[in-house]
Amino acid sequence: MMLNVTPTALPGVLVLEPKVFGDERGFFLESFNARRFREATGLDVDFVQDNHSRSGRGVLRGLHYQIEQPQGKLVRVVRGRVFDVAVDLRRGSATLGRWAGVELSADNHRQLWVPPGFAHGFVVLSDRADFLYKTTDYYAPQHERTLLWNDPHVGVEWPQQALEGSGPLLSPKDAAAPRWEDVQLLAG
């Protein structure tokens, strides 16, 4: 199998591990193949946009989602390490308000599939991280929403190192994000 798939505690959120071919010269991996993705996950998705973000240690981005044009995301790290999180925001879901998190790094080559209907965010654990992700719908700023990263109802257990000192580095938008009781949920 060229792609190992591991379910998380949230149905539909999947950890993907591509087969890595390596030797003393370096490595090769297939980061995405539509046919293998479909065979391994049972999902037939069309990606329409690729994004690349670079952040420094302690930067926390999220928890973001789009109330209309919800995006599925296939995320990975090509430099550094992050702790990546998905939160279920699907109205009527048995796991509404629950979260799953996984460490993604340039060394472990893991990817995370975050389906539409989930908020998504990450915090950088290394000095710098380059984060790549494919999306199933286009970015629509007028529909973007944010859930407060440390909302007590959701209770994400961010790595302790991300909370040291003055806490994570947040954008003004993420710092002012609404709490659970004020977020807009998505259709289940």
Side-chain angles (χ1 to χ4, degrees):
M1 178 64 93
M2 296 292 289
L3 186 62
N4 185 40
V5 178
T6 306
T8 67
L10 297 177
V13 177
L14 306 170
V15 177
L16 310 172
E17 296 178 79
K19 182 159 180 60
V20 179
F21 301 91
D23 58 26
E24 66 279 352
R25 299 169 298 152
F27 71 88
F28 170 85
L29 67 85
E30 196 172 75
S31 61
F32 180 74
N33 176 306
R35 182 178 64 242
R36 288 197 175 98
F37 182 85
R38 185 175 48 255
E39 290 169 355
T41 65
L43 301 168
D44 190 12
V45 298
D46 290 319
F47 292 109
V48 299
Q49 185 174 323
D50 281 2
N51 299 313
H52 183 154
S53 78
R54 175 175 291 158
S55 304
R57 181 183 299 279
V59 170
L60 192 148
R61 297 186 184 274
L63 300 157
H64 302 148
Y65 64 104
Q66 289 184 179
I67 195 70
E68 292 182 30
Q69 295 175 235
Q71 296 175 307
K73 297 178 181 178
L74 181 61
V75 302
R76 67 190 184 109
V77 171
V78 296
R79 176 180 174 185
R81 294 182 319 132
V82 307
F83 184 70
D84 198 74
V85 171
V87 178
D88 191 345
L89 294 179
R90 298 168 301 161
R91 186 179 295 111
S93 168
T95 56
L96 176 65
R98 294 190 192 154
W99 66 277
V102 63
E103 185 175 307
L104 304 177
S105 73
D107 293 331
N108 70 23
H109 306 288
R110 287 182 189 142
Q111 299 177 13
L112 189 67
W113 165 247
V114 181
F118 289 77
H120 172 259
F122 65 90
V123 66
V124 178
L125 304 174
S126 54
D127 287 339
R128 185 171 307 258
D130 282 349
F131 188 87
L132 305 180
Y133 59 106
K134 304 172 102 40
T135 66
T136 59
D137 209 333
Y138 298 101
Y139 174 62
Q142 70 277 22
H143 301 306
E144 185 178 35
R145 302 292 186 271
T146 307
L147 167 63
L148 188 63
W149 69 277
N150 63 349
D151 183 89
H153 175 84
V154 176
V156 173
E157 295 175 13
W158 297 98
Q160 193 57 41
Q161 70 187 82
L163 307 177
E164 293 173 351
S166 59
L169 301 171
L170 303 167
S171 70
K173 174 184 73 175
D174 291 350
R179 295 174 65 108
W180 177 258
E181 56 270 9
D182 297 320
V183 299
Q184 288 180 273
L185 300 178
L186 291 107

